[in-house]
Amino acid sequence: FFSGVVNGKYLKPEVRLLTLQISRLKYRPLTWRNQHPYMLVDRFEDITHPELLKERPESDRTVVFYGYVRGAHLKPSTKVHLIGAGDFRISDVE
């Protein structure tokens, strides 16, 4: 956009042309992000009973996630994908 710097400044007509083009941009809404729930996890806790882990170390775990839900509503029956772990069903949302 700019041809160069003259005396440490950009040329005014080029700056005006750039601001005009930026102001005329049409922003498309991010439909996927608004229609699907997603969560920013702040922290998580493993609440599996310690006795169960002593008896069977490879048993299924119960994990609680704390964070912020964005997009659509997050329902208890929906499946979620954890990167590197797979797909899981949510049992409860508070």
Side-chain angles (χ1 to χ4, degrees), residues 17-93:
L17 180 63
L18 179 64
T19 56
L20 181 67
Q21 289 179 351
I22 290 173
S23 67
R24 289 183 179 172
L25 284 176
K26 292 183 180 179
Y27 294 101
R28 293 180 290 155
L30 301 173
T31 57
W32 187 92
R33 207 167 73 175
N34 293 333
Q35 294 174 354
H36 294 81
Y38 59 99
M39 183 174 183
L40 173 64
V41 176
D42 185 34
R43 65 186 171 97
F44 67 94
E45 294 178 10
D46 183 2
I47 59 169
T48 310
H49 198 277
E51 293 297 322
L52 179 64
L53 292 176
K54 285 181 184 177
E55 293 172 10
R56 296 182 312 182
E58 295 184 11
S59 63
D60 289 341
R61 304 257 179 150
T62 304
V63 182
V64 178
F65 293 100
Y66 297 92
Y68 305 94
V69 176
R70 298 286 187 243
H73 296 289
L74 189 63
K75 298 173 186 169
S77 61
T78 58
K79 279 184 140 181
V80 295
H81 179 76
L82 299 177
I83 298 172
D87 294 332
F88 300 94
R89 287 215 180 271
I90 298 174
S91 64
D92 189 21
V93 177

